[in-house]
Amino acid sequence: MAEQITAPEAERKKTIFSAIQPSGTITLGNYLGALSNWVRLQDEYRCIYAVADLHAITVRQDPKAFKQNILNAYALFLACGVDTDKSIFFIQSHVPTHAQMAWVLNCYTQFGELSRMTQFKDKSQKHADNVNAGLFAYPSLMAADILLYQADLVPIGADQKQHLELARNIAERFNGVYGNTFRIPDGYIPTVGARVMSLQDPTRKMSKSDENVNAWVAVLDKPEVIMKKFKRAVTDSEARVCVGEGKEGINNLIGILSAVTGKTAEEITLEFEGRGYGDFKTAVGEAVVERLRPIRERFDELIGERAYLEEQYRKGAETAQMISQRTLDKAMKKIGFLPR
Ligand code: TRP
């Protein structure tokens, strides 16, 4: 009898939720650090992924560019291998429960908690002329995204750890007042995948907001551009391809080559023994070009297939709406709202 009760729970595929903002440029860092993991996780888990467009308006967006960026992000993630037959993939603003739940959770989130978020502190310094309430409440929208789907696991980068911790606290607080309503999500730190650093200053994370365009590679960069950026990558004066202290540039390139080819750092070290950095940088560039080529080609096809894209994101939104509405209704009922 006990077995009958526990078996379905044990067999239940765990739910993963993650989202990425449509920022205009998806970098090699985004791909190797996040997207390639999204793709890998699809067989093992019930994956729910979103383009987080609501989060993006916490900073001012140009309307035309914003619309294009949302569509491009959706198409690019599909091109990378997000599979709408296996996973639920939608655009956040298409599913109104996110904004609704965010409001509800705002009322269970403390001013002090939000004030302590390091991302808020950083961004309000960077955009001192537009420190809006949305920027402040950003983490409760993110909590809504996650909690609406009763997610077990949330793949996130280090910069989002504090937000996930807050989402857990909000959920625990709500459950404490009203009884079990939300599953408490755990962070998922993938075993594969790389933290990709700037090609120009390898002590910093690769970021498309870097003023030096040679510091980052975009997934959709042309092969010539990718090669040029890798040839200019900063190294060191030791002229030995191996992992080591003070060799951040080479460590980063080894990490990238390892992530795109599946070879280990040891295999790479052996392969390049006695060879110069010029050779090595060319090899890393070529491997990245080959890894990204099919993605760029698929993106170019998809972006012309407007009807197909619409069909996919509508399907995703419908399913997401159905699942998330249940959680929203449950939470609102517990609070005491009068159902319509
Ligand atoms: N805030 C995340 C970022 O900028 C994106 C995001 C929005 C997210 N909602 C989420 C990530 C829910 C994980 C879970 O990277």
Side-chain angles (χ1 to χ4, degrees):
M1 195 61 198
E3 250 165 289
Q4 270 175 352
I5 295 164
T6 53
E9 176 65 14
E11 278 165 29
R12 183 181 67 89
K13 264 196 184 179
K14 289 197 166 176
T15 297
I16 289 220
F17 183 92
S18 200
I20 300 184
Q21 291 193 47
S23 64
T25 308
I26 301 293
T27 66
L28 181 66
N30 300 132
Y31 176 66
L32 294 177
L35 268 168
S36 62
N37 283 311
W38 282 21
V39 173
R40 268 190 327 101
L41 294 167
Q42 294 180 108
D43 290 315
E44 210 178 319
Y45 297 96
R46 170 177 177 253
C47 293
I48 306 177
Y49 297 135
V51 174
D53 56 348
L54 293 174
H55 279 100
I57 64 162
T58 53
V59 299
R60 200 65 75 228
Q61 299 285 345
D62 169 69
K64 249 180 97 182
F66 186 41
K67 188 187 266 176
Q68 193 62 53
N69 286 345
I70 297 167
L71 189 68
N72 284 358
Y74 194 87
L76 183 56
F77 296 178
L78 288 183
C80 286
V82 172
D83 182 341
T84 53
D85 287 331
K86 294 181 190 160
S87 306
I88 300 166
F89 181 38
F90 65 100
I91 295 169
Q92 188 187 28
S93 67
H94 291 179
V95 183
T97 48
H98 289 252
Q100 292 171 292
M101 183 61 103
W103 173 256
V104 170
L105 296 182
N106 267 330
C107 302
Y108 296 83
T109 308
Q110 298 303 306
F111 181 88
E113 289 178 303
L114 292 172
S115 311
R116 283 193 291 276
M117 294 294 115
T118 53
Q119 192 178 79
F120 172 69
K121 290 190 239 174
D122 289 350
K123 283 200 179 168
S124 49
Q125 265 177 16
K126 244 199 224 154
H127 306 275
D129 56 333
N130 186 20
V131 185
N132 60 73
L135 193 65
F136 188 63
Y138 179 115
S140 37
L141 175 59
M142 183 163 154
D145 295 344
I146 298 165
L147 301 180
L148 277 170
Y149 300 92
Q150 307 288 354
D152 296 279
L153 297 169
V154 184
I156 38 157
D159 62 326
Q160 297 297 318
K161 254 176 108 172
Q162 205 184 20
H163 292 161
L164 180 66
E165 198 51 46
L166 181 56
R168 290 169 53 96
N169 290 341
I170 297 170
E172 276 166 1
R173 183 173 307 142
F174 194 101
N175 288 352
V177 178
Y178 299 105
N180 199 16
T181 311
F182 300 119
R183 186 180 297 277
I184 310 298
D186 283 312
Y188 179 88
I189 314 294
T191 46
V192 213
R195 183 171 153 81
V196 179
M197 311 304 281
S198 156
L199 298 182
Q200 292 297 314
D201 175 2
T203 61
R204 289 171 33 192
K205 205 175 137 182
M206 179 179 282
S207 162
K208 53 114 198 173
S209 46
D210 204 311
E211 281 152 39
N212 186 345
V213 295
N214 290 317
W216 48 269
V217 168
V219 171
L220 295 175
D221 271 346
K222 297 246 163 6
E224 316 83 83
V225 176
I226 297 175
M227 289 308 295
K228 197 183 74 194
K229 288 178 178 175
F230 274 103
K231 282 181 183 158
R232 290 190 185 165
V234 165
T235 52
D236 55 69
S237 54
E238 200 194 19
R240 263 191 73 211
V241 178
C242 62
V243 176
E245 225 173 292
K247 295 175 70 71
E248 284 79 14
I250 290 296
N251 295 348
N252 186 36
L253 293 176
I254 292 177
I256 291 171
L257 186 57
S258 167
V260 297
T261 60
K263 290 178 190 166
T264 65
E266 292 73 41
E267 287 168 336
I268 292 168
T269 305
L270 267 176
E271 186 181 338
F272 288 92
E273 212 177 310
R275 288 165 69 185
Y277 283 167
D279 256 19
F280 178 57
K281 291 200 277 188
T282 302
V284 180
E286 282 169 353
V288 170
V289 165
E290 288 322 311
R291 175 71 180 261
L292 297 182
R293 186 189 304 282
I295 296 175
R296 186 167 38 81
E297 288 174 356
R298 181 69 185 129
F299 173 83
D300 288 342
E301 277 169 23
L302 277 169
I303 206 66
E305 296 175 22
R306 190 59 187 262
Y308 175 78
L309 291 175
E310 279 171 11
E311 192 189 310
Q312 298 311 305
Y313 62 63
R314 281 195 192 129
K315 179 176 88 171
E318 270 166 32
T319 314
Q321 171 76 38
M322 225 167 56
I323 298 169
S324 59
Q325 189 71 51
R326 279 196 296 247
T327 306
L328 179 67
D329 287 349
K330 184 167 148 190
M332 290 182 74
K333 191 172 161 204
K334 292 200 174 191
I335 296 169
F337 280 104
L338 183 69
R340 188 164 79 177

